[in-house]
Each structure stands twice: as structure tokens, then as C-alpha cells.
Amino acid sequence: MKVNLIFGYTGFLAKNLYLQLIKKKQKVFVITRQVIKKKNFISLNLYNKQKIGLILDKVKPDYIWNMVGINSVNLKKNMAINYDLSKFIIETDYNLKFKPKILLIGSIAEYGDYKKKFIESDSLNPINNYGLSKSFQSIYALNHAKQFKTKIIIARVSNIFGENMSDKFFLKKAYDYKPTQKNKTIIYKNFKRDYIHIDIVIKMLYKLMHNGATGEVYNIGSGVAKSNFKIFREILNKHKVNINMNNIEIKDNKTSSTIYFDIRKFNLI
């Protein structure tokens, strides 16, 4: 049986991936900074190449999923998590010798905002520290795959949403929304993004890991730009919650903002 190793567990993406792999009755190990008393969970409070290498030698994974990520205004924190961890995994002797398939999570933020629709061959021009750290990851990983023939795939993911998403994301307000609430929910109607549900993302990532070409980048999204207001209403409709416009305040952004993915490359696998 093939062995999966997931870096991360408490995050939205990692936890959903873990649950889906377990449902598929696959052998799964998890590396997490927290102490979690579950079978095949490994606690690692500090990520470094030596410790990661020892775990890889013991677990012997066929598939490595790096689901750890952070979006901070602090560049040093972003680099430590979004770049250094991937670099440590890639540089292990285990990876160089056995070449397991490694899936790294990139972001639509790597492209920046110089156009609306992005394809994988577009130039990277991040406008924040999060996108910059993910861009470093992409450049290093693709160079390593080319130079050492390591089996690395990068999934640039768009805006994920779902029932148990973090409170820091706007669409969590849709899942918590009540027509009787007194406080107003502010929605920017001309802010459009490539929103995609977590369940679809996990299916796409699974397909990418098993069928995608190594040494390549794939955009993971819906391929459609939707306004905040439209996706907000879609979530309410799905959960059969009526919207009360008396506690909704719709505003325009100072500048219209539309960013989404071209996903034709993924659709070919």
C-alpha cells in the first residue's frame, strides 16, 4: 500500500485532505506541531531538515503533501513557513534518493494583480509578503525538479471556502449569517475572485498528485470570477437561509478588483 505523509493538520486544507484520504482507506501519516493522540500522528515542534529527514527515512512516504502555510504581514514568518519548510523537505537525502511525489501549495497571490485572468506561464509579480514567500517556493521547487529530477508538483490555489473555514476569511460570515442579526454585514459587490469549495479543491489536488506532470505548476480554481455578494448569496441559498437586506450593507471598492484562474491546463490531466 502506498504511504501518504501530510505536513500540517490544524489548517482548513490539511484537515480536509486528511479526512478524504482516510475515507479512501489509504495509509496516512501526519506531521504536526501540536501533540495529537491519533494513530500515525507525529509531533514536530520545530521544522528543520535533519528532523524532517529522520521522519521521512522512518515513514518512507510515496506521496508527500505539504499543507502547511501562513498568511502574515511579516515577511520573515511567511518565509519560514511557506518557503523554508518546503525547502527542507525537498533537500532531504530521502527525496534525492527515492524521489517521492511532492505536492506543494502555491497561491493565486503569486501572480499579483496586473491582469484579471492568469495562466500558469504568466510572470510572477506578487504585491504582498504572502505572495512573495510562495513565489520563492515556486522558483526554488521548479529549479530543483529540473536540476535533480525530483517529483515536485505545485498547485496554485485560488480562494477556498467551506463550512468550517477560519473566521479570518470574509465568507465565514455567510456560514454564520442569521437573518435576525442586529449587526450589519458589509459586502463589496465589485470585488470578484475565483472562489472554489474545499471539497472540489481536495478532489482536484488528489487528481493532480496522481495524474499531474512533475516539475509543473497547475492552477487550482473554478476558472470563474464571482463577486462577494454573489457567492455570499449562493452559500445562503445552499443552506436555505433567507437574506435580510436590512442587515446587509453593499459597498463598492474604491477600485474594481477582479482576479481569477485559467484552469485549462488542469482540465487536460
Side-chain angles (χ1 to χ4, degrees):
M1 180 182 290
K2 299 288 186 179
V3 177
N4 295 272
L5 177 61
I6 301 174
F7 281 81
Y9 178 71
T10 56
F12 187 47
L13 191 58
K15 188 169 289 187
N16 279 274
L17 172 65
Y18 171 78
L19 292 173
Q20 286 303 312
L21 292 178
I22 292 299
K23 284 182 180 179
K24 291 179 180 291
K25 301 187 183 303
Q26 298 198 12
K27 190 169 186 179
V28 185
F29 288 85
V30 175
I31 294 178
T32 175
R33 285 185 170 182
Q34 294 188 357
V35 177
I36 299 176
K37 294 182 179 180
K38 286 187 177 184
K39 183 180 179 181
N40 296 339
F41 273 63
I42 303 165
S43 177
L44 186 62
N45 62 354
L46 181 64
Y47 297 126
N48 65 52
K49 187 169 70 172
Q50 183 179 12
K51 289 183 178 180
I52 290 170
L54 290 172
I55 293 172
L56 297 187
D57 289 338
K58 183 178 180 180
V59 174
K60 295 179 172 53
D62 300 284
Y63 304 112
I64 298 174
W65 312 75
N66 183 11
M67 302 288 109
V68 178
I70 187 173
N71 187 350
S72 170
V73 296
N74 186 298
L75 178 59
K76 187 175 181 180
K77 288 182 180 179
N78 282 322
M79 290 295 290
I81 299 299
N82 300 332
Y83 171 66
D84 289 344
L85 175 56
S86 294
K87 189 171 182 285
F88 293 154
I89 296 169
I90 291 168
E91 289 180 346
T92 57
D93 291 337
Y94 182 87
N95 180 43
L96 289 169
K97 182 177 180 180
F98 297 104
K99 295 182 171 58
K101 293 191 79 173
I102 300 174
L103 188 85
L104 303 177
I105 301 299
S107 171
I108 196 169
E110 295 178 61
Y111 293 114
D113 61 358
Y114 62 91
K115 58 188 293 190
K116 291 184 177 181
K117 187 176 183 180
F118 288 96
I119 193 168
E120 290 86 351
S121 57
D122 284 330
S123 299
L124 303 184
N125 188 29
I127 59 172
N128 57 39
N129 288 333
Y130 173 68
L132 181 60
S133 63
K134 287 293 187 179
S135 296
F136 270 95
Q137 174 190 250
S138 292
I139 293 168
Y140 178 79
L142 294 175
N143 179 271
H144 198 280
K146 184 177 181 180
Q147 187 174 357
F148 298 101
K149 309 301 179 185
T150 42
K151 298 177 181 178
I152 301 168
I153 302 173
I154 296 174
R156 285 204 182 115
V157 182
S158 61
N159 299 68
I160 306 172
F161 70 96
E163 286 75 3
N164 297 308
M165 65 192 302
S166 170
D167 290 339
K168 67 181 180 180
F169 296 110
F170 163 75
L171 287 180
K172 181 66 163 61
K173 295 178 181 179
Y175 292 100
D176 296 337
Y177 176 79
K178 294 178 176 58
T180 56
Q181 69 184 32
K182 293 183 179 180
N183 60 303
K184 285 199 172 186
T185 299
I186 298 173
I187 303 175
Y188 293 98
K189 68 178 181 180
N190 65 338
F191 183 91
K192 296 182 180 180
R193 288 293 183 268
D194 189 331
Y195 293 108
I196 183 168
H197 194 275
I198 183 65
D199 292 346
I200 300 175
V201 172
I202 297 302
K203 290 178 182 178
M204 293 177 78
L205 293 181
Y206 187 86
K207 183 177 182 180
L208 185 57
M209 174 66 98
H210 291 86
N211 300 320
T214 56
E216 294 288 338
V217 178
Y218 292 85
N219 289 337
I220 301 297
S222 66
V224 176
K226 288 185 179 180
S227 71
N228 275 355
F229 185 59
K230 184 175 182 179
I231 193 70
F232 192 94
R233 293 203 70 158
E234 286 181 0
I235 292 170
L236 295 187
N237 289 338
K238 183 177 180 180
H239 290 83
K240 298 180 180 179
V241 176
N242 294 322
I243 192 167
N244 179 0
M245 294 306 297
N246 291 323
N247 56 31
I248 298 290
E249 185 175 351
I250 301 174
K251 292 184 177 181
D252 282 334
N253 279 13
K254 292 181 180 178
T255 58
S256 179
S257 177
T258 299
I259 299 174
Y260 64 109
F261 273 152
D262 183 316
I263 58 170
R264 285 176 294 176
K265 183 174 179 180
F266 175 84
N267 288 337
L268 290 175
I269 65 175

